[in-house]
């Protein structure tokens, strides 16, 4: 009986460090806004949470997880093969810090029309607010006939930006371009 207990104890002592090491090897989770917090903020910003908006937010959470920053704002864009986009809003960090933010960017593609949108952007892996002030390239496809909800992903390094747009206009097509976030408003999209 004593031998069995001794072997069991030795086995436990041998396996315990392996279990601790395996647990420590898992990737660290970044803290971020919960899906409930994002839904609450989106509902307050858009005035209500529609089924399309809820589905878009759910999809982004499924793909990317919890964002650690959010931008709420408005933008206008237009295109006839070559397009331009201008926006302004407020950057909200997980720490509670807020600051004004602007964005602009060109695009090129099979794209025609114009639209005005409210934009609710989820931002991932943002280590510091100042790292957002750069270009985020991406591909976008959109169809606006009166109103709609759309989301696309833009990436620069580890930082991912997922703008969720709901707006009005008459626009259809696909394009390649970038968004450049800045501290101050600029008419220069480049």
């Amino acid at each position: 009986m004593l031998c069995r207990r001794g072997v069991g104890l030795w086995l436990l002592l041998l396996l315990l460090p392996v279990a601790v090491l395996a647990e420590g090897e898992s990737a660290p989770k970044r803290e971020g806004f919960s899906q409930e917090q994002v839904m609450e903020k989106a509902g307050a910003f858009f005035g209500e949470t529609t089924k399309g908006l809820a589905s878009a937010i759910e999809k982004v959470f499924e793909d990317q997880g919890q964002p650690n920053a959010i931008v709420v704002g408005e933008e206008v864009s237009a295109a006839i093969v070559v397009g331009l986009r201008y926006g302004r809003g407020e950057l909200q960090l997980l720490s509670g810090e807020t600051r004004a933010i602007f964005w602009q960017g060109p695009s090129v593609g099979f794209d025609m029309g114009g639209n005005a949108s409210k934009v609710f952007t989820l931002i991932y892996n943002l280590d510091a607010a100042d790292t957002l002030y750069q270009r985020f390239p991406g591909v976008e496809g959109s169809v606006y006939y009166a109103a709609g909800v759309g989301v696309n992903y833009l990436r620069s390094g580890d930082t991912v930006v997922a703008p969720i747009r709901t707006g009005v206009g008459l626009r259809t097509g696909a394009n390649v371009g970038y968004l450049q976030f800045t501290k101050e408003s600029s008419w220069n999209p480049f």
Side-chain angles (χ1 to χ4, degrees):
M1 187 85 153
L2 186 58
C3 270
R4 284 185 188 169
R5 283 187 187 164
V7 170
L9 183 59
W10 279 107
L11 197 56
L12 179 64
L13 290 174
L14 287 173
L15 293 177
L16 186 61
V18 172
V20 170
L21 284 175
E23 185 177 311
E25 289 176 2
S26 63
K29 285 191 170 188
R30 285 188 172 227
E31 190 175 321
F33 291 101
S34 71
Q35 189 168 346
E36 293 77 24
Q37 289 173 309
V38 169
M39 291 297 290
E40 185 179 310
K41 287 178 178 288
F45 176 65
F46 289 113
E48 64 180 74
T49 305
T50 65
K51 185 176 180 179
L53 177 60
S55 295
I57 290 172
E58 187 176 297
K59 175 67 174 147
V60 176
F61 264 81
E62 184 180 302
D63 291 347
Q64 301 293 328
Q66 295 181 319
N68 61 346
I70 295 172
V71 172
V72 294
E74 300 171 342
E75 70 178 23
V76 295
S77 64
I80 301 176
V81 180
V82 175
L84 296 174
R85 180 181 309 272
Y86 295 96
R88 65 183 303 152
E90 179 182 77
L91 172 64
Q92 300 174 5
L93 302 174
L94 189 59
S95 66
E97 178 187 347
T98 62
R99 60 173 73 174
I101 192 162
F102 302 88
W103 61 93
Q104 57 279 330
S107 64
V108 64
F110 301 103
D111 197 10
M112 182 170 280
N115 61 287
S117 304
K118 282 188 148 189
V119 183
F120 189 84
T121 303
L122 303 178
I123 303 170
Y124 296 87
N125 305 319
L126 186 67
D127 294 326
D130 288 344
T131 60
L132 190 59
Y133 304 124
Q134 61 175 309
R135 291 180 179 168
F136 289 85
V139 176
E140 181 180 2
S142 60
V143 177
Y144 279 96
Y145 296 113
V149 174
V151 62
N152 67 310
Y153 300 119
L154 305 127
R155 178 184 294 270
S156 180
D158 289 337
T159 306
V160 176
V161 176
I164 300 170
R165 295 180 175 95
T166 181
V168 296
L170 181 60
R171 185 168 180 176
T172 185
N175 62 57
V176 175
Y178 63 80
L179 283 182
Q180 180 169 339
F181 290 93
T182 57
K183 292 180 182 181
E184 297 179 7
S185 179
S186 172
W187 287 104
N188 182 357
F190 304 103

